[in-house]
């Protein structure tokens, strides 16, 4: 990282990803931060294309998120969903009225052939977001989860079934036809610091790194690469990452997280509760920072982001010394 | 009409058409009344297919209409439209939140290849409507209005421009590719009484009768055919029918209405204010009933519908005597 402000690119999905995005945005200049989000949770509802992870990023960065839930817009209503329910439509996927406007606009622009990346940018700009929200691909890649009741989409598993079914297998549909976006490649290649958010490694970060060309660009980048662990005391703050790690054969601890990101990260930030894992991680050649990783409020997010930057700068210093 | 309850088919568009539909429905058994609505005012907004005349019929027959406006649903909100506006989308077409559910469902089913007629039926059933709402065609036929500022869609002229531009020409786009629905043909062929509602003859009834095969079936039917004039004292209760009649070369009085429906009607119901026109109409071979045609409330609608049935029964008696 030279004397200009470092370019930071964050890979982020879910609520934890959006929280670290806010933390980094709070200490960055406009344009300094790019966030590559996850589109593998996307799904059509009532013919409208819903992109939950990207919307959570947008709404969180815009300060418009419903912070009690971590997703959806604040001050939301559900008159349309009630109407759809009265018309006999499924209503297990909560879609608020203001949020519905986003889905209607997105779907309309997609129908007109506008690239999903440009649509996400336009929505983010309309919401006043100053960081760059970048899609890993403009193609349709979708997480599918095999359970004893059969294959489910991510939203079916996560929202409709409340993460209850046993996970037998997780796949990504559409990978073979997917192409990385120029925006995502540029965000990775031009970054001085690549950060992996404390998101689900299997269904949030995995689908980003799996896009053909994207994981390779990440691996080949000379940027400092830091991940923030989504685990605290061997459990996730929110969501089914712990069960998913186990289902995919990873240990449900920070060594498992390190395995998920093998050869991709220089450093891992772990919670104080997991201090005991630091030595084993270091023995694998991963630098470790131990801190409080739980982001309960704005101050937590900014503090963790600041510590992350300091950790990255330390990495750079070490690299220079090694040269 | 034999001893069983007569089958009635109403051609209706706009607010006046929906009002007479309610009047007839109030004195009919379930299934006795079919209403052929107008789809030429349909238009896509934000990628959603909006069918204002059919929705007005459905909502009015369901008792859910916003009676202060004559269109839209009662107890409506516009959170989605506000959201779309914030996203930079046009918002001149008022689309309420509950109403939006109808458009989302309609559009989704159209995308799945469901016939528009079946969609309209399904929506009407969901709203508890017991009369048959019938589309004249499943194809796209759209009214276009030429003004000094160029061609406008009906909604652009009617809603966005508030009927202000001078009308130079009115056309129906898509007629050459349009086919009458089996449901509309059956509703006309099986009717004992065909009624033309007090709707705009040019842009509400005209586009129904213009569907290839539909006007001919109407003309060939042996049913009694009665129209209710949309004019009172040479003016319309609502909407631009008077200006449109003039723009299309018709007199803006009941003789003009009779010209619009030349060879199609046995009788015309006109308002007491226009009593003086009765003789001239009769001289053209059109039987005339003079009454109060303004429908201000439920009682007015039922009374006019009842008088219409009596008038039709009188027509039948005359026909029998003539045989």
């Amino acid at each position: 990282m030279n004397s200009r402000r470092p370019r930071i690119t964050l890979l982020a999905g879910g609520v934890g990803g959006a929280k670290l995005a806010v933390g980094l945005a709070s200490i960055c200049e406009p344009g300094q931060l790019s966030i590559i989000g996850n589109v593998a949770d996307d799904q059509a509802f009532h013919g409208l294309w819903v992109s939950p992870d990207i919307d959570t990023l947008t709404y969180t960065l815009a300060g418009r998120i419903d912070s009690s839930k971590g997703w959806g817009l604040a001050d939301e209503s559900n008159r349309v969903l009630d109407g759809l329910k009265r018309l006999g439509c499924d209503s297990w996927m909560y879609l608020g009225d203001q949020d519905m406007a986003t889905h209607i606009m997105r779907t309309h622009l997609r129908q007109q052939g506008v690239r999903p990346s440009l649509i996400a940018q336009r929505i983010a700009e309309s919401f006043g977001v100053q960081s760059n929200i970048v899609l890993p691909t403009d193609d349709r890649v979708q997480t599918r989860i095999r359970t004893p009741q059969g294959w489910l989409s991510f939203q079916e598993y996560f929202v409709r079934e409340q993460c209850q079914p046993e996970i037998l297998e997780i796949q990504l549909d559409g990978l073979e036809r997917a192409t990385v976006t120029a925006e995502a490649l540029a965000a990775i290649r031009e970054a001085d610091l690549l950060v992996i958010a404390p998101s689900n490694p299997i269904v949030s970060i995995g689908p980003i790194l799996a896009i053909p060309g994207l994981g390779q660009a990440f691996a080949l980048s000379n940027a400092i690469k830091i991940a923030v662990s989504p685990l605290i005391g061997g459990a996730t703050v929110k969501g089914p990452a712990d069960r998913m790690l186990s289902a995919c054969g990873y240990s449900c601890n920070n060594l498992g997280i390190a395995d998920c990101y093998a050869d991709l990260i220089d450093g891992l930030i772990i919670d104080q509760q997991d201090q005991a894992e630091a030595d084993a991680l270091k023995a694998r050649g991963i630098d470790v920072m131990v801190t409080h990783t739980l982001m309960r409020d704005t101050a937590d997010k900014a503090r963790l982001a600041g510590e992350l930057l300091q950790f990255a700068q330390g990495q750079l210093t070490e690299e220079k010394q090694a040269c």
Side-chain angles (χ1 to χ4, degrees), chain A:
Chain A
M1 284 181 259
N2 51 33
S3 60
R4 67 169 171 76
R5 283 183 165 266
R7 287 195 194 130
I8 304 172
T9 294
L10 174 71
L11 273 55
V15 174
K19 284 184 172 180
L20 186 58
V22 165
L24 287 167
S26 74
I27 58 171
C28 283
E29 297 286 321
Q32 189 189 347
L33 175 65
S34 294
I35 304 138
I36 305 182
N38 168 39
V39 296
D41 297 356
D42 289 16
Q43 186 170 331
F45 292 93
H46 317 290
L48 301 174
W49 196 253
V50 178
S51 196
D53 265 14
I54 302 302
D55 289 343
T56 296
L57 266 179
T58 304
Y59 299 165
T60 305
L61 285 165
R64 296 272 310 276
I65 200 81
D66 179 341
S67 51
S68 67
K69 295 189 297 189
W71 53 270
L73 284 159
D75 184 30
E76 189 54 292
S77 51
N78 45 272
R79 306 263 295 171
V80 178
L81 196 66
D82 282 350
L84 286 165
K85 199 171 175 177
R86 279 195 295 270
L87 287 167
C89 301
D90 269 345
S91 59
W92 55 263
M93 182 71 176
Y94 184 87
L95 300 168
D97 293 328
Q98 302 176 96
D99 186 39
M100 199 71 86
T102 303
H103 311 318
I104 290 171
M105 187 207 197
R106 174 188 295 118
T107 305
H108 190 203
L109 291 172
R110 286 173 70 103
Q111 282 164 357
Q112 292 173 317
V114 180
R115 274 205 305 133
S117 291
L118 300 181
I119 300 172
Q121 271 177 32
R122 183 160 151 192
I123 293 171
E125 280 163 17
S126 298
F127 273 88
V129 173
Q130 296 196 306
S131 305
N132 308 312
I133 292 181
V134 175
L135 302 196
T137 181
D138 287 321
D139 299 310
R140 188 179 296 197
V141 171
Q142 285 180 294
T143 297
R144 293 201 317 149
I145 298 170
R146 190 160 68 84
T147 71
Q149 59 190 277
W151 285 100
L152 302 177
S153 73
F154 180 79
Q155 300 303 335
E156 285 167 347
Y157 168 81
F158 189 69
V159 179
R160 195 186 68 197
E161 305 299 332
Q162 303 276 304
C163 307
Q164 289 308 305
E166 184 192 354
I167 299 172
L168 303 174
E169 191 181 349
I170 301 177
Q171 274 192 359
L172 276 173
D173 264 18
L175 267 190
E176 65 289 355
R177 296 178 303 277
T179 315
V180 61
T181 59
E183 290 88 345
L185 272 189
I188 289 171
R189 289 180 179 155
E190 293 165 11
D192 302 297
L193 170 59
L194 287 169
V195 182
I196 297 180
S199 305
N200 187 318
I202 310 296
V203 295
S204 292
I205 304 300
I208 299 174
L209 289 168
I211 301 299
L214 195 149
Q216 195 186 20
F218 192 99
L220 293 174
S221 163
N222 290 321
I224 301 296
K225 298 163 194 167
I226 308 284
V228 180
S229 173
L231 299 178
I232 297 180
T236 45
V237 177
K238 194 172 158 67
D242 39 14
R243 271 162 288 165
M244 288 185 168
L245 283 166
S246 302
C248 293
Y250 294 101
S251 307
C252 191
N253 56 32
N254 287 314
L255 296 167
I257 299 297
D259 287 336
C260 289
Y261 303 139
D263 301 325
L264 289 178
I265 53 171
D266 304 308
L268 182 63
I269 298 180
I270 64 172
D271 192 75
Q272 285 205 311
Q273 290 187 34
D274 302 314
Q275 170 110 45
E277 295 170 349
D279 286 344
L281 289 163
K282 284 177 188 167
R284 295 199 193 177
I286 296 173
D287 204 2
V288 175
M289 185 174 85
V290 182
T291 183
H292 292 286
T293 61
L294 188 63
M295 292 175 280
R296 285 156 305 193
D297 53 27
T298 310
D300 279 343
K301 293 168 199 163
R303 175 196 45 77
L304 183 59
E307 288 174 352
L308 191 158
L309 277 195
Q310 284 186 334
F311 183 44
Q313 273 152 0
Q315 287 278 323
L316 187 70
T317 312
E318 281 171 34
E319 270 188 23
K320 273 193 182 148
Q321 284 168 348
C323 288

PDB file of all heavy atoms in Angstrom, chain A residues 229 253-259 265-271 274-290:
ATOM      1  N   SER A 229     -13.050 -13.949  10.685  1.00  0.00           N
ATOM      2  CA  SER A 229     -13.783 -15.197  10.917  1.00  0.00           C
ATOM      3  C   SER A 229     -15.245 -14.923  11.287  1.00  0.00           C
ATOM      4  O   SER A 229     -15.524 -14.022  12.081  1.00  0.00           O
ATOM      5  CB  SER A 229     -13.129 -15.991  12.036  1.00  0.00           C
ATOM      6  OG  SER A 229     -13.951 -17.106  12.342  1.00  0.00           O
ATOM      7  N   ASN A 253     -14.461 -24.556  13.425  1.00  0.00           N
ATOM      8  CA  ASN A 253     -13.630 -23.639  14.215  1.00  0.00           C
ATOM      9  C   ASN A 253     -12.768 -22.849  13.224  1.00  0.00           C
ATOM     10  O   ASN A 253     -12.934 -22.993  12.002  1.00  0.00           O
ATOM     11  CB  ASN A 253     -12.773 -24.419  15.227  1.00  0.00           C
ATOM     12  CG  ASN A 253     -11.918 -25.481  14.533  1.00  0.00           C
ATOM     13  OD1 ASN A 253     -11.490 -25.306  13.381  1.00  0.00           O
ATOM     14  ND2 ASN A 253     -11.681 -26.584  15.225  1.00  0.00           N
ATOM     15  N   ASN A 254     -11.853 -22.060  13.734  1.00  0.00           N
ATOM     16  CA  ASN A 254     -11.104 -21.180  12.834  1.00  0.00           C
ATOM     17  C   ASN A 254     -10.117 -21.929  11.954  1.00  0.00           C
ATOM     18  O   ASN A 254      -9.709 -21.415  10.903  1.00  0.00           O
ATOM     19  CB  ASN A 254     -10.418 -20.078  13.636  1.00  0.00           C
ATOM     20  CG  ASN A 254     -11.440 -19.057  14.110  1.00  0.00           C
ATOM     21  OD1 ASN A 254     -12.283 -18.627  13.310  1.00  0.00           O
ATOM     22  ND2 ASN A 254     -11.415 -18.709  15.383  1.00  0.00           N
ATOM     23  N   LEU A 255      -9.762 -23.155  12.358  1.00  0.00           N
ATOM     24  CA  LEU A 255      -8.933 -23.971  11.464  1.00  0.00           C
ATOM     25  C   LEU A 255      -9.769 -24.382  10.252  1.00  0.00           C
ATOM     26  O   LEU A 255      -9.274 -24.423   9.124  1.00  0.00           O
ATOM     27  CB  LEU A 255      -8.395 -25.194  12.217  1.00  0.00           C
ATOM     28  CG  LEU A 255      -7.455 -24.815  13.376  1.00  0.00           C
ATOM     29  CD1 LEU A 255      -7.198 -26.003  14.298  1.00  0.00           C
ATOM     30  CD2 LEU A 255      -6.137 -24.261  12.832  1.00  0.00           C
ATOM     31  N   GLY A 256     -11.038 -24.660  10.504  1.00  0.00           N
ATOM     32  CA  GLY A 256     -11.953 -24.956   9.392  1.00  0.00           C
ATOM     33  C   GLY A 256     -12.108 -23.757   8.468  1.00  0.00           C
ATOM     34  O   GLY A 256     -12.118 -23.891   7.243  1.00  0.00           O
ATOM     35  N   ILE A 257     -12.208 -22.558   9.064  1.00  0.00           N
ATOM     36  CA  ILE A 257     -12.303 -21.333   8.245  1.00  0.00           C
ATOM     37  C   ILE A 257     -11.024 -21.183   7.413  1.00  0.00           C
ATOM     38  O   ILE A 257     -11.083 -20.886   6.208  1.00  0.00           O
ATOM     39  CB  ILE A 257     -12.511 -20.088   9.157  1.00  0.00           C
ATOM     40  CG1 ILE A 257     -13.806 -20.203   9.969  1.00  0.00           C
ATOM     41  CG2 ILE A 257     -12.468 -18.808   8.333  1.00  0.00           C
ATOM     42  CD1 ILE A 257     -15.081 -20.242   9.170  1.00  0.00           C
ATOM     43  N   ALA A 258      -9.880 -21.422   8.050  1.00  0.00           N
ATOM     44  CA  ALA A 258      -8.603 -21.331   7.330  1.00  0.00           C
ATOM     45  C   ALA A 258      -8.558 -22.347   6.188  1.00  0.00           C
ATOM     46  O   ALA A 258      -8.038 -22.055   5.103  1.00  0.00           O
ATOM     47  CB  ALA A 258      -7.441 -21.542   8.300  1.00  0.00           C
ATOM     48  N   ASP A 259      -9.119 -23.521   6.417  1.00  0.00           N
ATOM     49  CA  ASP A 259      -9.177 -24.523   5.344  1.00  0.00           C
ATOM     50  C   ASP A 259     -10.048 -24.028   4.180  1.00  0.00           C
ATOM     51  O   ASP A 259      -9.725 -24.243   3.013  1.00  0.00           O
ATOM     52  CB  ASP A 259      -9.752 -25.847   5.878  1.00  0.00           C
ATOM     53  CG  ASP A 259      -8.751 -26.586   6.761  1.00  0.00           C
ATOM     54  OD1 ASP A 259      -7.533 -26.349   6.601  1.00  0.00           O
ATOM     55  OD2 ASP A 259      -9.193 -27.378   7.614  1.00  0.00           O
ATOM     56  N   ILE A 265      -5.523 -16.473   1.960  1.00  0.00           N
ATOM     57  CA  ILE A 265      -5.413 -15.375   2.933  1.00  0.00           C
ATOM     58  C   ILE A 265      -4.035 -15.336   3.594  1.00  0.00           C
ATOM     59  O   ILE A 265      -3.406 -16.357   3.830  1.00  0.00           O
ATOM     60  CB  ILE A 265      -6.511 -15.450   4.026  1.00  0.00           C
ATOM     61  CG1 ILE A 265      -6.539 -16.824   4.715  1.00  0.00           C
ATOM     62  CG2 ILE A 265      -7.875 -15.130   3.438  1.00  0.00           C
ATOM     63  CD1 ILE A 265      -7.456 -16.895   5.936  1.00  0.00           C
ATOM     64  N   ASP A 266      -3.622 -14.085   3.858  1.00  0.00           N
ATOM     65  CA  ASP A 266      -2.380 -13.874   4.606  1.00  0.00           C
ATOM     66  C   ASP A 266      -2.672 -13.839   6.099  1.00  0.00           C
ATOM     67  O   ASP A 266      -1.834 -14.228   6.911  1.00  0.00           O
ATOM     68  CB  ASP A 266      -1.755 -12.526   4.206  1.00  0.00           C
ATOM     69  CG  ASP A 266      -1.521 -12.435   2.710  1.00  0.00           C
ATOM     70  OD1 ASP A 266      -0.896 -13.355   2.157  1.00  0.00           O
ATOM     71  OD2 ASP A 266      -1.991 -11.456   2.096  1.00  0.00           O
ATOM     72  N   GLY A 267      -3.843 -13.318   6.427  1.00  0.00           N
ATOM     73  CA  GLY A 267      -4.147 -13.153   7.838  1.00  0.00           C
ATOM     74  C   GLY A 267      -5.595 -13.453   8.137  1.00  0.00           C
ATOM     75  O   GLY A 267      -6.471 -13.322   7.262  1.00  0.00           O
ATOM     76  N   LEU A 268      -5.846 -13.838   9.391  1.00  0.00           N
ATOM     77  CA  LEU A 268      -7.211 -14.128   9.824  1.00  0.00           C
ATOM     78  C   LEU A 268      -7.460 -13.393  11.134  1.00  0.00           C
ATOM     79  O   LEU A 268      -6.632 -13.446  12.054  1.00  0.00           O
ATOM     80  CB  LEU A 268      -7.391 -15.645  10.008  1.00  0.00           C
ATOM     81  CG  LEU A 268      -8.785 -16.148  10.427  1.00  0.00           C
ATOM     82  CD1 LEU A 268      -9.829 -15.826   9.360  1.00  0.00           C
ATOM     83  CD2 LEU A 268      -8.756 -17.661  10.688  1.00  0.00           C
ATOM     84  N   ILE A 269      -8.575 -12.704  11.193  1.00  0.00           N
ATOM     85  CA  ILE A 269      -8.947 -12.021  12.434  1.00  0.00           C
ATOM     86  C   ILE A 269      -9.946 -12.910  13.162  1.00  0.00           C
ATOM     87  O   ILE A 269     -10.984 -13.284  12.597  1.00  0.00           O
ATOM     88  CB  ILE A 269      -9.548 -10.630  12.130  1.00  0.00           C
ATOM     89  CG1 ILE A 269      -8.496  -9.764  11.424  1.00  0.00           C
ATOM     90  CG2 ILE A 269     -10.055  -9.963  13.413  1.00  0.00           C
ATOM     91  CD1 ILE A 269      -8.961  -8.369  11.068  1.00  0.00           C
ATOM     92  N   ILE A 270      -9.605 -13.255  14.401  1.00  0.00           N
ATOM     93  CA  ILE A 270     -10.487 -14.141  15.167  1.00  0.00           C
ATOM     94  C   ILE A 270     -10.893 -13.457  16.467  1.00  0.00           C
ATOM     95  O   ILE A 270     -10.281 -12.466  16.886  1.00  0.00           O
ATOM     96  CB  ILE A 270      -9.819 -15.510  15.469  1.00  0.00           C
ATOM     97  CG1 ILE A 270      -8.589 -15.336  16.370  1.00  0.00           C
ATOM     98  CG2 ILE A 270      -9.435 -16.221  14.173  1.00  0.00           C
ATOM     99  CD1 ILE A 270      -7.993 -16.660  16.858  1.00  0.00           C
ATOM    100  N   ASP A 271     -11.928 -13.980  17.075  1.00  0.00           N
ATOM    101  CA  ASP A 271     -12.445 -13.382  18.299  1.00  0.00           C
ATOM    102  C   ASP A 271     -11.599 -13.806  19.505  1.00  0.00           C
ATOM    103  O   ASP A 271     -10.993 -14.881  19.506  1.00  0.00           O
ATOM    104  CB  ASP A 271     -13.898 -13.798  18.524  1.00  0.00           C
ATOM    105  CG  ASP A 271     -14.550 -12.964  19.611  1.00  0.00           C
ATOM    106  OD1 ASP A 271     -14.874 -11.792  19.326  1.00  0.00           O
ATOM    107  OD2 ASP A 271     -14.702 -13.469  20.745  1.00  0.00           O
ATOM    108  N   ASP A 274     -11.584 -17.174  20.927  1.00  0.00           N
ATOM    109  CA  ASP A 274     -10.915 -18.252  20.200  1.00  0.00           C
ATOM    110  C   ASP A 274      -9.388 -18.102  20.192  1.00  0.00           C
ATOM    111  O   ASP A 274      -8.701 -18.713  19.356  1.00  0.00           O
ATOM    112  CB  ASP A 274     -11.456 -18.310  18.758  1.00  0.00           C
ATOM    113  CG  ASP A 274     -12.948 -18.521  18.751  1.00  0.00           C
ATOM    114  OD1 ASP A 274     -13.429 -19.402  19.499  1.00  0.00           O
ATOM    115  OD2 ASP A 274     -13.657 -17.791  18.018  1.00  0.00           O
ATOM    116  N   GLN A 275      -8.892 -17.284  21.120  1.00  0.00           N
ATOM    117  CA  GLN A 275      -7.453 -17.025  21.256  1.00  0.00           C
ATOM    118  C   GLN A 275      -6.633 -18.322  21.195  1.00  0.00           C
ATOM    119  O   GLN A 275      -5.550 -18.362  20.598  1.00  0.00           O
ATOM    120  CB  GLN A 275      -7.250 -16.328  22.619  1.00  0.00           C
ATOM    121  CG  GLN A 275      -5.819 -16.194  23.062  1.00  0.00           C
ATOM    122  CD  GLN A 275      -5.380 -14.740  23.021  1.00  0.00           C
ATOM    123  OE1 GLN A 275      -6.098 -13.847  23.462  1.00  0.00           O
ATOM    124  NE2 GLN A 275      -4.205 -14.512  22.462  1.00  0.00           N
ATOM    125  N   ALA A 276      -7.164 -19.370  21.802  1.00  0.00           N
ATOM    126  CA  ALA A 276      -6.429 -20.640  21.898  1.00  0.00           C
ATOM    127  C   ALA A 276      -6.105 -21.227  20.527  1.00  0.00           C
ATOM    128  O   ALA A 276      -5.200 -22.063  20.398  1.00  0.00           O
ATOM    129  CB  ALA A 276      -7.234 -21.649  22.716  1.00  0.00           C
ATOM    130  N   GLU A 277      -6.849 -20.795  19.466  1.00  0.00           N
ATOM    131  CA  GLU A 277      -6.619 -21.350  18.129  1.00  0.00           C
ATOM    132  C   GLU A 277      -5.506 -20.616  17.377  1.00  0.00           C
ATOM    133  O   GLU A 277      -5.105 -21.044  16.291  1.00  0.00           O
ATOM    134  CB  GLU A 277      -7.910 -21.317  17.313  1.00  0.00           C
ATOM    135  CG  GLU A 277      -9.000 -22.231  17.898  1.00  0.00           C
ATOM    136  CD  GLU A 277     -10.353 -22.012  17.245  1.00  0.00           C
ATOM    137  OE1 GLU A 277     -10.524 -21.030  16.499  1.00  0.00           O
ATOM    138  OE2 GLU A 277     -11.249 -22.849  17.500  1.00  0.00           O
ATOM    139  N   ALA A 278      -5.036 -19.505  17.951  1.00  0.00           N
ATOM    140  CA  ALA A 278      -4.088 -18.638  17.235  1.00  0.00           C
ATOM    141  C   ALA A 278      -2.799 -19.376  16.857  1.00  0.00           C
ATOM    142  O   ALA A 278      -2.325 -19.269  15.714  1.00  0.00           O
ATOM    143  CB  ALA A 278      -3.772 -17.398  18.068  1.00  0.00           C
ATOM    144  N   ASP A 279      -2.250 -20.129  17.778  1.00  0.00           N
ATOM    145  CA  ASP A 279      -0.968 -20.785  17.503  1.00  0.00           C
ATOM    146  C   ASP A 279      -1.082 -21.791  16.368  1.00  0.00           C
ATOM    147  O   ASP A 279      -0.205 -21.852  15.488  1.00  0.00           O
ATOM    148  CB  ASP A 279      -0.447 -21.474  18.774  1.00  0.00           C
ATOM    149  CG  ASP A 279       0.089 -20.446  19.776  1.00  0.00           C
ATOM    150  OD1 ASP A 279       0.321 -19.285  19.347  1.00  0.00           O
ATOM    151  OD2 ASP A 279       0.243 -20.794  20.961  1.00  0.00           O
ATOM    152  N   ALA A 280      -2.155 -22.592  16.389  1.00  0.00           N
ATOM    153  CA  ALA A 280      -2.343 -23.585  15.324  1.00  0.00           C
ATOM    154  C   ALA A 280      -2.492 -22.910  13.970  1.00  0.00           C
ATOM    155  O   ALA A 280      -2.010 -23.418  12.944  1.00  0.00           O
ATOM    156  CB  ALA A 280      -3.560 -24.459  15.631  1.00  0.00           C
ATOM    157  N   LEU A 281      -3.143 -21.753  13.950  1.00  0.00           N
ATOM    158  CA  LEU A 281      -3.303 -21.009  12.692  1.00  0.00           C
ATOM    159  C   LEU A 281      -1.946 -20.486  12.222  1.00  0.00           C
ATOM    160  O   LEU A 281      -1.602 -20.585  11.035  1.00  0.00           O
ATOM    161  CB  LEU A 281      -4.288 -19.849  12.875  1.00  0.00           C
ATOM    162  CG  LEU A 281      -5.760 -20.254  13.053  1.00  0.00           C
ATOM    163  CD1 LEU A 281      -6.575 -19.107  13.628  1.00  0.00           C
ATOM    164  CD2 LEU A 281      -6.339 -20.709  11.707  1.00  0.00           C
ATOM    165  N   LYS A 282      -1.188 -19.915  13.161  1.00  0.00           N
ATOM    166  CA  LYS A 282       0.132 -19.368  12.817  1.00  0.00           C
ATOM    167  C   LYS A 282       1.045 -20.477  12.303  1.00  0.00           C
ATOM    168  O   LYS A 282       1.841 -20.262  11.386  1.00  0.00           O
ATOM    169  CB  LYS A 282       0.749 -18.678  14.037  1.00  0.00           C
ATOM    170  CG  LYS A 282       0.118 -17.318  14.325  1.00  0.00           C
ATOM    171  CD  LYS A 282       0.684 -16.681  15.590  1.00  0.00           C
ATOM    172  CE  LYS A 282      -0.113 -15.425  15.958  1.00  0.00           C
ATOM    173  NZ  LYS A 282       0.190 -14.961  17.320  1.00  0.00           N
ATOM    174  N   ALA A 283       0.899 -21.671  12.888  1.00  0.00           N
ATOM    175  CA  ALA A 283       1.723 -22.807  12.453  1.00  0.00           C
ATOM    176  C   ALA A 283       1.449 -23.159  10.988  1.00  0.00           C
ATOM    177  O   ALA A 283       2.286 -23.763  10.317  1.00  0.00           O
ATOM    178  CB  ALA A 283       1.440 -24.020  13.346  1.00  0.00           C
ATOM    179  N   ARG A 284       0.263 -22.766  10.509  1.00  0.00           N
ATOM    180  CA  ARG A 284      -0.051 -22.990   9.089  1.00  0.00           C
ATOM    181  C   ARG A 284       0.395 -21.817   8.214  1.00  0.00           C
ATOM    182  O   ARG A 284       0.038 -21.746   7.034  1.00  0.00           O
ATOM    183  CB  ARG A 284      -1.552 -23.151   8.905  1.00  0.00           C
ATOM    184  CG  ARG A 284      -2.110 -24.381   9.573  1.00  0.00           C
ATOM    185  CD  ARG A 284      -3.437 -24.672   8.950  1.00  0.00           C
ATOM    186  NE  ARG A 284      -4.167 -25.644   9.729  1.00  0.00           N
ATOM    187  CZ  ARG A 284      -5.389 -26.022   9.423  1.00  0.00           C
ATOM    188  NH1 ARG A 284      -6.005 -25.490   8.384  1.00  0.00           N
ATOM    189  NH2 ARG A 284      -5.996 -26.918  10.147  1.00  0.00           N
ATOM    190  N   GLY A 285       1.087 -20.853   8.812  1.00  0.00           N
ATOM    191  CA  GLY A 285       1.579 -19.723   8.029  1.00  0.00           C
ATOM    192  C   GLY A 285       0.562 -18.600   7.892  1.00  0.00           C
ATOM    193  O   GLY A 285       0.723 -17.706   7.062  1.00  0.00           O
ATOM    194  N   ILE A 286      -0.486 -18.644   8.699  1.00  0.00           N
ATOM    195  CA  ILE A 286      -1.492 -17.573   8.652  1.00  0.00           C
ATOM    196  C   ILE A 286      -1.255 -16.641   9.826  1.00  0.00           C
ATOM    197  O   ILE A 286      -1.182 -17.084  10.978  1.00  0.00           O
ATOM    198  CB  ILE A 286      -2.914 -18.168   8.729  1.00  0.00           C
ATOM    199  CG1 ILE A 286      -3.180 -19.032   7.495  1.00  0.00           C
ATOM    200  CG2 ILE A 286      -3.965 -17.065   8.851  1.00  0.00           C
ATOM    201  CD1 ILE A 286      -4.475 -19.796   7.552  1.00  0.00           C
ATOM    202  N   ASP A 287      -1.116 -15.358   9.511  1.00  0.00           N
ATOM    203  CA  ASP A 287      -0.961 -14.385  10.583  1.00  0.00           C
ATOM    204  C   ASP A 287      -2.325 -14.191  11.254  1.00  0.00           C
ATOM    205  O   ASP A 287      -3.361 -14.248  10.591  1.00  0.00           O
ATOM    206  CB  ASP A 287      -0.438 -13.063  10.006  1.00  0.00           C
ATOM    207  CG  ASP A 287       0.291 -12.245  11.069  1.00  0.00           C
ATOM    208  OD1 ASP A 287       0.414 -12.725  12.225  1.00  0.00           O
ATOM    209  OD2 ASP A 287       0.714 -11.134  10.740  1.00  0.00           O
ATOM    210  N   VAL A 288      -2.309 -13.957  12.538  1.00  0.00           N
ATOM    211  CA  VAL A 288      -3.576 -13.909  13.270  1.00  0.00           C
ATOM    212  C   VAL A 288      -3.672 -12.618  14.068  1.00  0.00           C
ATOM    213  O   VAL A 288      -2.694 -12.190  14.690  1.00  0.00           O
ATOM    214  CB  VAL A 288      -3.692 -15.127  14.227  1.00  0.00           C
ATOM    215  CG1 VAL A 288      -4.962 -15.029  15.083  1.00  0.00           C
ATOM    216  CG2 VAL A 288      -3.683 -16.430  13.445  1.00  0.00           C
ATOM    217  N   MET A 289      -4.836 -11.996  14.009  1.00  0.00           N
ATOM    218  CA  MET A 289      -5.122 -10.911  14.949  1.00  0.00           C
ATOM    219  C   MET A 289      -6.295 -11.361  15.806  1.00  0.00           C
ATOM    220  O   MET A 289      -7.288 -11.878  15.286  1.00  0.00           O
ATOM    221  CB  MET A 289      -5.472  -9.614  14.234  1.00  0.00           C
ATOM    222  CG  MET A 289      -5.645  -8.467  15.233  1.00  0.00           C
ATOM    223  SD  MET A 289      -5.904  -6.869  14.438  1.00  0.00           S
ATOM    224  CE  MET A 289      -7.645  -6.945  14.188  1.00  0.00           C
ATOM    225  N   VAL A 290      -6.159 -11.141  17.109  1.00  0.00           N
ATOM    226  CA  VAL A 290      -7.225 -11.525  18.041  1.00  0.00           C
ATOM    227  C   VAL A 290      -7.878 -10.248  18.559  1.00  0.00           C
ATOM    228  O   VAL A 290      -7.185  -9.344  19.037  1.00  0.00           O
ATOM    229  CB  VAL A 290      -6.659 -12.357  19.209  1.00  0.00           C
ATOM    230  CG1 VAL A 290      -7.792 -12.783  20.151  1.00  0.00           C
ATOM    231  CG2 VAL A 290      -5.900 -13.574  18.693  1.00  0.00           C
TER     232      VAL A 290
END
